Amino acid sequence: MNFKITKNINEANMITHAGTFHADDVFATAFLIKIIENPIICRINNFNDDIKTDAIVYDIGGGKFDHHQIDAERRYDNDIKYSSIGLLFKEYGYEYIKSLTDNYVEEIFTEIEENLIKQIDAIDNGVFPVIDAEYNVKTLSDIISMFNPAWNEEKDRDELFKEAVEFAEKILDIEINKTISKMKAKEIVVEAIKNTEGSILILDKFMPFKNFIHESTNPKAKNLKFAIFPSIRDGYTVHTIPVSKLNREPRLRFPIEISGLRDKELQDKTGIETAVFVHPDGFIGACNTLEDAIKLANYALYN
């Protein structure tokens, strides 16, 4: 969406801080331009009570959508303090999602809050992820910060802010659209679980399925070990079911004697004519036909 940055505070309907920008004010802006008609942003160094405005003021000024005051609002479940994007999404996010879809609005809101908004809030308030890796990992907040000018660059910070907001808006759109899409898949997966007998879930096409299995109250869901669906590379994928949302270890791996095998070697070992491969880690396999995909899952179940 097009938006304007102005130096005239009286012209603005959105006000935030100037200078170095961060993921919270950038994503807050990206969200606000979706819900404010003709968005005009003023970035200022200081905001005080002498400034009279009807604009939404965020990440500055100590008001409803700022989080720098001592008594700033925290989440009740984990004590993570809200940042400007969290406060704005909490206030307006539900109604915005409701304007996009009538289905699963509360669940979509919660998913976006959990999968995107909360991490921005946490990092902006100094709660950093613990990452045990032998290499540097850039968070989304790190990437947004890269849009700021280098110390020895003379660039217009407002223009760079605008570029960062346009980038953030794309991320926000993708997150929202994919979450809505994911919830549309829920009905299909729930129905497929209901119609399943045994340990193999069969879907007509690929869609998110793992979390819906773990969330299901249907006793059949607890027995599922594999999901089969058409592959985007042709044929059929046979995917293991993780232990839980947090534990991605498969409930049952493919046997070690066929893990890592491909094509004729795999076909000779299993007797399955169109078997294509089983991953070396034993969590996924593939066949060219649905019938053989079911055979491959059953091979893992009974060997």
Side-chain angles (χ1 to χ4, degrees), residues 3 5-7 9 12-29 32 40-48 51 55-63 65-69 83-85 88 120 124-125 144-145 148-149 156-162 164-165:
F3 60 97
I5 298 180
T6 182
K7 299 295 185 184
I9 194 170
N13 49 23
M14 299 163 56
I15 299 172
T16 191
H17 64 82
T20 300
F21 47 83
H22 310 94
D24 72 320
D25 50 299
V26 168
F27 270 89
T29 306
L32 281 174
I40 303 174
I41 303 154
C42 183
R43 301 179 72 234
I44 62 175
N45 290 322
N46 297 292
F47 186 92
N48 56 57
I51 299 174
I56 292 181
V57 182
Y58 56 102
D59 212 33
I60 192 172
F65 302 119
D66 192 13
H67 64 109
H68 296 98
Q69 54 271 48
S83 72
S84 57
I85 176 58
L88 286 162
I120 299 172
D124 197 77
N125 285 296
I144 293 296
S145 291
N148 283 285
D156 187 324
R157 288 183 181 270
D158 282 352
E159 284 302 311
L160 295 177
F161 177 79
K162 188 171 184 180
V165 170

Side-chain angles (χ1 to χ4, degrees), residues 230-270:
S231 170
I232 59 174
R233 298 181 181 179
D234 295 328
Y236 289 82
T237 296
V238 186
H239 205 296
T240 55
I241 306 295
V243 170
S244 70
K245 283 185 180 182
L246 299 179
N247 185 350
R248 309 318 286 173
E249 180 74 15
R251 290 177 176 177
L252 177 70
R253 289 185 187 274
F254 284 98
I256 192 167
E257 65 267 19
I258 65 169
S259 295
L261 300 185
R262 302 186 68 89
D263 301 323
K264 188 174 186 306
E265 192 177 8
L266 178 61
Q267 293 160 12
D268 289 344
K269 184 70 175 177
T270 61

Side-chain angles (χ1 to χ4, degrees), residues 119-170:
Q119 67 158 290
I120 299 172
D121 287 352
I123 291 173
D124 197 77
N125 285 296
V127 182
F128 302 104
V130 177
I131 301 172
D132 183 14
E134 296 296 325
Y135 47 85
N136 291 327
V137 176
K138 287 190 182 297
T139 66
L140 184 56
S141 295
D142 293 326
I143 293 169
I144 293 296
S145 291
M146 291 170 66
F147 282 85
N148 283 285
W151 69 273
N152 57 349
E153 290 180 325
E154 294 294 332
K155 293 185 176 180
D156 187 324
R157 288 183 181 270
D158 282 352
E159 284 302 311
L160 295 177
F161 177 79
K162 188 171 184 180
E163 290 180 20
V165 170
E166 289 169 349
F167 174 81
E169 187 185 14
K170 290 179 182 178

